[in-house]
Amino acid sequence: MGQAWVRNAWYVAGWAHELGSDAVIARTIIGEPLVLYRQDDGTPVVLQDRCCHRLAPLSMGRREGDNLRCMYHGFKFSPEGRCIEIPGQPKIPPKAVVRRYPAVESGSWLWVWMGDPALADPTQIAPTISLKDPAYRMKAGQLDYDANYILIDDNLLDLSHLSFAHENTLGRGMPQWAQERPRISRLERGLRVERWIQNRATPPYMQQKLGDTFDNFIAYDFLFPGLFLLRAYFYPAGTAQRVNLEAPNEPPLFQRCDDQAVTPVDARRSRYFYAAGARAQDIEWPQVEKMYGITETAFHEDKALIEAQQKMIDRDPEHPMVLATADAAPTQFRRMVQQWLDAEQPTPGAQRIA
Ligand code: FES
Ligand SMILES: [Fe+2]
């Protein structure tokens, strides 16, 4: 049985800067080949990457103004996916169409709606930080995974792994990640995960602001299919106790930001987009580079583990897992994904999420 996908969702197809004004690029999302280009005014267009004529990829074609021409026999398509020209033939068959997917540029990502176009609502796209926003300094990257996206989601929903998988990078000297349980609350399309980490050692470049140790309130929204929008707020040591470990509502001395998105390519491949940085008032570019470097090293640690985990799962797909309390968020999220999948399927429960 092939993997079933939740279709009615906005998926990140790429960084906006990957799609230049004349570029025509191929992407695969939830197993479907897509072609991306821009209209003259910059509006992104996403069509099925398969010419309706003899099924050549349209991503091997060329942009002509707002339209896209297949460079096999020259059929030309409008941004709506309608064939508007067949060389040497005045009449165009009504069936000469390719599927159009609603597409939007928001923040610094290109988003594509893989489900029923009538349900596509761009106001549902989560706000993310634009790389061009002068209020922030963020550095961006991406990583390809040979693994199902849900394993990467599990990883991001359970940061207890920082103390071990990242013992030399993001979790260095921080057993608290594994020892303390976050507060989890439900959102419409995912979960919010919040925790205090008290008495962290301050990195040298922040010591002037924060002293030797600080309290860190770390909160992220995790939204389908794999959006991870984290803000880490840095406060003077003692703040966590003073606010009784509740969410603080005083301005932080420093704020780190991480916007990430996991996009399923197919059942065994995923693409991971990420940006890391802080408010511009808090940080200079050399520190952003350093922070990003550590973060990216950590992402390679995750990738090595998760790809190996995927191989182990594939040796014996039915083998049970013994879950711990730290699995609360990934377990809840998987249940939500199953519910969204069931809601889109004629026979609920017949399809599995991974
Ligand atoms: S395959 Fe595209 S025009 Fe023939
Ligand atoms: Fe990780």
Side-chain angles (χ1 to χ4, degrees), residues 34-35 37 45-49 78-81 98-101:
L34 309 175
V35 56
Y37 73 97
V45 179
V46 179
L47 302 175
Q48 189 169 43
D49 191 14
S78 74
E80 291 75 41
V98 296
R99 180 172 173 164
R100 173 193 78 99
Y101 297 79

Side-chain angles (χ1 to χ4, degrees), residues 1-5 11 28-32 145-152 262-271 306-307 309-311 313-314 334 352-354:
M1 182 177 69
Q3 161 139 21
W5 302 101
Y11 288 80
T28 303
I29 298 181
I30 60 169
E32 293 190 15
Y145 261 91
D146 286 325
N148 189 279
Y149 82 104
I150 207 80
L151 297 181
I152 310 170
V262 182
T263 297
V265 173
D266 59 28
R268 285 295 172 272
R269 290 183 300 161
S270 306
R271 189 164 283 185
I306 292 169
E307 289 182 343
Q309 177 197 21
Q310 178 73 73
K311 282 197 189 122
I313 290 170
D314 286 342
R334 279 176 175 242
R352 291 181 42 184
I353 61 167

Side-chain angles (χ1 to χ4, degrees), residues 88-219:
Q89 175 179 330
K91 231 179 139 207
I92 296 171
K95 275 195 184 149
V97 288
V98 296
R99 180 172 173 164
R100 173 193 78 99
Y101 297 79
V104 169
E105 183 173 333
S106 171
S108 284
W109 281 328
L110 299 168
W111 303 74
V112 54
W113 179 267
M114 299 302 293
D116 178 355
L119 300 177
D121 175 5
T123 65
Q124 283 179 359
I125 293 175
T128 52
I129 298 172
S130 164
L131 299 173
K132 294 188 186 132
D133 186 337
Y136 296 89
R137 297 204 169 115
M138 306 284 285
K139 184 169 161 137
Q142 57 184 291
L143 197 58
D144 282 328
Y145 261 91
D146 286 325
N148 189 279
Y149 82 104
I150 207 80
L151 297 181
I152 310 170
D153 286 2
D154 292 341
N155 169 280
L156 293 168
L157 280 160
D158 171 14
L159 297 185
S160 70
H161 78 272
L162 264 71
S163 301
F164 295 92
H166 307 312
E167 64 173 359
N168 294 317
T169 52
L170 292 178
R172 187 199 288 275
M174 290 178 61
Q176 300 100 312
W177 285 108
Q179 278 160 2
E180 286 162 30
R181 295 288 167 261
R183 189 169 30 222
I184 300 164
S185 45
R186 188 166 172 162
L187 306 170
E188 198 188 329
R189 290 298 276 179
L191 298 170
R192 176 166 296 162
V193 182
E194 300 168 306
R195 48 161 65 75
W196 276 101
I197 292 193
Q198 300 176 62
N199 281 314
R200 284 185 71 168
T202 312
Y205 73 94
M206 288 186 217
Q207 275 172 2
Q208 214 184 343
K209 244 186 191 180
L210 286 162
D212 292 341
T213 62
F214 66 101
D215 285 357
N216 210 183
F217 184 70
I218 298 156

Side-chain angles (χ1 to χ4, degrees), residues 52-68:
C52 62
H53 178 221
R54 297 186 77 88
L55 318 185
L58 288 174
S59 54
M60 295 174 78
R62 78 171 169 227
R63 186 181 87 91
E64 292 186 3
D66 287 349
N67 307 312
L68 184 63

Side-chain angles (χ1 to χ4, degrees), residues 51 53-56 58 70 72-75:
C51 179
H53 178 221
R54 297 186 77 88
L55 318 185
L58 288 174
C70 179
Y72 197 177
H73 314 94
F75 282 38

